[in-house]
Amino acid sequence: MLLLSAFFAWPGDSRPVRCAKAAGSAALAACGVLWAKWLMWQGTGRWDAYEALQASSYRQGGLRLPFEEIRNAYDFPFSDWYRPDGPLPWLVEHGLAAHRGQLWLNAAFVLLVLAAAAVRLVRHRRLDTAEWAALVLTLAVFWTPFFAGAEMSWYRNHAQMFVGLLLVRHLPRWAQALLLAACAAQYALLGAMFFAGVLV
């Protein structure tokens, strides 16, 4: 996103200056990644501790076919991972396939963000810098888990799509209300599963 910012940020600067600023911002972010790697090495003795955990726990790593990963994630119920013994509360019992609803909710959110961006572009002929960044990040956050491996943890990754709210705020109130209601229902299921030990 920082590299792409040369196309939408710093509108008052010339093209070479915008490219230099984008490259400098990306380089600073890369320094942050290196700092995190150093801290991991200090704490665990491994530079790739996070990647190793994701690979061992969620089979993430490498490059996958995204639509195949979406199908695999959709077909893999939470209950195949964790299911406590004995009777389950009503919300938990009905939430064992909540990942399917979550995928539809995430896709709907992405479509709402795209629609809001399209309307802004048609009406105002532009998006501001924060809105362009939100659009790029929302799309990238949605697709990245499906390129890297989406087993079990993709719903966590997608929580980062909240930046798309910068665009959703321009949608009609009824669309925002529907989104809020769908999120409330979905997170009631996920919350119940978490506290019951089904979802970790």
Side-chain angles (χ1 to χ4, degrees), residues 168-180:
V168 171
R169 65 185 172 148
H170 299 298
L171 291 173
R173 292 289 185 237
W174 62 264
Q176 295 179 29
L178 286 176
L179 177 63
L180 184 61

Side-chain angles (χ1 to χ4, degrees), residues 110 113-114 117 121 127 130-140 163-164 167:
V110 169
V113 169
L114 286 171
L121 285 170
L127 298 176
E131 290 169 342
W132 272 116
L135 177 63
V136 172
L137 284 172
T138 300
L139 294 174
V163 297
L167 285 159

Side-chain angles (χ1 to χ4, degrees), residues 29-65:
C31 289
V33 173
L34 292 176
W35 175 254
K37 294 285 187 184
W38 184 81
L39 290 175
M40 277 192 288
W41 177 75
Q42 290 287 306
T44 67
R46 293 187 61 162
W47 292 93
D48 63 344
Y50 175 79
E51 290 81 1
L53 176 64
Q54 293 299 105
S56 64
S57 298
Y58 307 116
R59 299 191 180 107
Q60 291 182 339
L63 192 61
R64 312 290 180 85
L65 298 173

Side-chain angles (χ1 to χ4, degrees), residues 58-64 69 144-151 153-154:
Y58 307 116
R59 299 191 180 107
Q60 291 182 339
L63 192 61
R64 312 290 180 85
E69 283 300 304
T144 296
F146 300 120
F147 278 101
E151 186 172 308
S153 68
W154 56 268

Side-chain angles (χ1 to χ4, degrees), residues 14 78 87 91-92 100 123 141 156 188:
S14 65
F78 291 145
L91 269 178
V92 175
R100 295 190 174 109
R123 288 183 179 173
V141 167
R156 299 179 185 179

Side-chain angles (χ1 to χ4, degrees), residues 80-142:
D80 283 5
W81 279 85
Y82 307 101
R83 188 182 179 104
D85 295 329
L88 298 176
W90 185 89
L91 269 178
V92 175
E93 188 67 48
H94 287 79
L96 292 176
H99 65 293
R100 295 190 174 109
Q102 184 69 50
L103 183 59
W104 287 108
L105 178 59
N106 293 346
F109 183 77
V110 169
L111 291 176
L112 285 174
V113 169
L114 286 171
V119 168
R120 296 280 290 170
L121 285 170
V122 168
R123 288 183 179 173
H124 303 286
R125 304 293 184 197
R126 64 182 294 274
L127 298 176
D128 64 32
T129 300
E131 290 169 342
W132 272 116
L135 177 63
V136 172
L137 284 172
T138 300
L139 294 174
V141 167
F142 178 77

